[in-house]
Amino acid sequence: MNLGLAIFLIIIALLIGLVGGFYGARAYMKKYFQDNPPISEDMIAAMMAQMGQKPSAKRLNQVMNMMKHQQQK
């Protein structure tokens, strides 16, 4: 087999793998976020109400800021 042909096939296989991996990971993340949506203020308010707390706007903002800060670490 010609060395040039072998290098060409390796490069083509690499490009196909990269494109396939990108679209596979993208589809996986879309499905993951549909099944497990990020926590919103409404979800936090519902959790606080279930625990018997009356959620105020100030407390909701504090909890959201704490969660954002934890995710950045």
Side-chain angles (χ1 to χ4, degrees):
M1 186 151 95
N2 190 358
L3 181 61
L5 179 61
I7 292 172
F8 177 73
L9 291 176
I10 290 171
I11 291 172
I12 295 298
L14 179 65
L15 291 175
I16 291 172
L18 287 173
V19 170
F22 172 76
Y23 284 108
R26 184 173 171 241
Y28 173 78
M29 290 306 292
K30 278 186 176 182
K31 184 178 181 326
Y32 177 81
F33 281 124
Q34 284 178 349
D35 295 342
N36 304 310
I39 295 178
S40 66
E41 290 185 14
D42 296 332
M43 295 171 102
I44 293 173
M47 286 190 290
M48 291 175 83
Q50 287 176 351
M51 293 187 309
Q53 299 177 6
K54 193 168 188 175
S56 66
K58 181 180 178 184
R59 183 68 181 138
L60 285 175
N61 288 335
Q62 286 176 342
V63 173
M64 286 297 292
N65 288 335
M66 284 186 342
M67 291 181 68
K68 287 179 185 176
H69 183 64
Q70 286 295 322
Q71 287 177 350
Q72 290 176 354
K73 284 187 176 180

